[in-house]
Amino acid sequence: KAGVTQTPRYLIKTRGQQVTLSCSPISGHRSVSWYQQTPGQGLQFLFEYFSETQRNKGNFPGRFSGRQFSNSRSEMNVSTLELGDSALYLCASSLSGSGDTDTQYFGPGTRLTVL
Amino acid sequence: GEDVEQSLFLSVREGDSSVINCTYTDSSSTYLYWYKQEPGAGLQLLTYIFSNMDMKQDQRLTVLLNKKDKHLSLRIADTQTGDSAIYFCADPLGGYNKLIFGAGTRLAVHP
């Protein structure tokens, strides 16, 4: 069974631009979560989607948004990019995301660099 | 509050055992997780432990859980150079797949 895939793997953008990242979960998984990883802040939760609905959200500004499609694929969007948005963005999928008993499997990440 | 803490760096000799420690603030989670991250890669699930267990062994990996002290540890036996990576403990106390991660422990294995 294929793992979590993320596209693109690398992105370079300039300040003020917007970017869309894509995540395809493991087949059969319906929950997708997004995390931001930076050297200063570590791994931080962005949001989680299940059945096209956002169920949980981290403490990020409204410039960060996401959505999930009926096939469970998910996208996240960052508008008006800032230098501090440079990070590794990780996507994780799980079967149902039910409480704390559902194991998350991570993709390889998208490395975003904002110049 | 939500907090998971780890020491940042561990250096061991090849063939020795490595012990990576983690403390957490919330004890209501059903599972606690260990993930591994190699340079330039995503997170690989290493193992997890059910909260009603004290110990779990999986080949070279041993996880110990002390719920009273809110302390979790990962022991890697016969550590190899391929084990060099960053190890994260994670607590799903945020609900709905919101994992709270420690800062990660960088394990360096030298000959």
Side-chain angles (χ1 to χ4, degrees), chain A residues 31 35 37 56 94 97 100 104, chain B residues 29-30 35 37 45 94-95 97 99:
Chain A
S31 169
Y35 294 82
Q37 185 178 27
N56 207 349
S94 66
D100 64 351
Q104 293 185 59
Chain B
S29 301
T30 305
Y35 285 89
Q37 186 175 39
L45 176 66
N97 282 336
L99 286 172

Side-chain angles (χ1 to χ4, degrees), chain A residues 9 31 33 35 37 43 45 48 55-58 88 90 94 96-109, chain B residues 28-31 33 35 37 40-45 48 50 86 88 92-103:
Chain A
R9 292 294 310 280
S31 169
S33 300
Y35 294 82
Q37 185 178 27
L43 281 154
F45 173 82
E48 187 260 0
R55 294 192 301 186
N56 207 349
K57 190 177 187 307
L88 180 67
L90 292 163
S94 66
S96 65
S98 54
D100 64 351
T101 61
D102 204 20
T103 302
Q104 293 185 59
Y105 297 89
F106 283 79
Chain B
S28 62
S29 301
T30 305
Y31 289 102
Y33 297 89
Y35 285 89
Q37 186 175 39
L43 297 176
Q44 172 194 350
L45 176 66
Y48 58 89
F50 193 48
I86 302 176
F88 294 91
L93 61 81
Y96 288 133
N97 282 336
K98 180 182 178 182
L99 286 172
I100 307 299
F101 286 91

Side-chain angles (χ1 to χ4, degrees), chain B residues 39-86:
Chain B
L43 297 176
Q44 172 194 350
L45 176 66
L46 265 185
T47 187
Y48 58 89
I49 187 166
F50 193 48
S51 61
N52 69 353
M53 298 171 67
D54 297 323
M55 183 180 84
K56 177 182 178 182
Q57 190 149 1
D58 185 0
Q59 300 183 335
R60 292 190 299 123
L61 304 177
T62 302
V63 180
L64 295 177
L65 175 60
N66 182 328
K67 289 198 74 174
K68 175 177 169 289
D69 294 337
K70 296 181 183 176
H71 183 265
L72 181 72
S73 69
L74 173 70
R75 177 177 179 270
I76 305 173
D78 187 25
T79 313
Q80 302 298 309
T81 55
D83 295 323
S84 294
I86 302 176

Side-chain angles (χ1 to χ4, degrees), chain A:
Chain A
K1 192 183 271 192
V4 178
T5 58
Q6 292 186 246
T7 56
R9 292 294 310 280
Y10 303 92
L11 264 179
I12 299 176
K13 293 286 187 179
T14 56
R15 278 180 299 174
Q17 287 187 311
Q18 75 164 15
V19 67
T20 300
L21 312 181
S22 181
C23 171
S24 293
I26 293 170
S27 177
H29 285 194
R30 296 173 62 193
S31 169
V32 173
S33 300
W34 289 89
Y35 294 82
Q36 181 196 64
Q37 185 178 27
T38 59
Q41 299 298 317
L43 281 154
Q44 293 186 288
F45 173 82
L46 281 156
F47 28 64
E48 187 260 0
Y49 286 87
F50 178 79
S51 290
E52 303 177 65
T53 301
Q54 185 183 92
R55 294 192 301 186
N56 207 349
K57 190 177 187 307
N59 296 323
F60 279 82
R63 300 185 297 107
F64 291 81
S65 62
R67 58 178 176 168
Q68 186 180 35
F69 302 95
S70 58
N71 62 358
S72 295
R73 190 177 69 84
S74 177
E75 289 181 347
M76 67 162 282
N77 184 277
V78 188
S79 63
T80 320
L81 283 166
E82 299 176 0
L83 295 179
D85 297 332
S86 294
L88 180 67
Y89 289 88
L90 292 163
C91 165
S93 77
S94 66
L95 275 170
S96 65
S98 54
D100 64 351
T101 61
D102 204 20
T103 302
Q104 293 185 59
Y105 297 89
F106 283 79
T110 294
R111 171 81 56 191
L112 172 64
T113 302
V114 182
L115 302 176

Side-chain angles (χ1 to χ4, degrees), chain B residues 5-21:
Chain B
E5 294 188 355
Q6 298 178 242
S7 52
L8 296 182
F9 189 75
L10 177 65
S11 178
V12 299
R13 191 184 304 272
E14 192 175 12
D16 287 350
S17 292
S18 308
V19 179
I20 300 170
N21 295 302

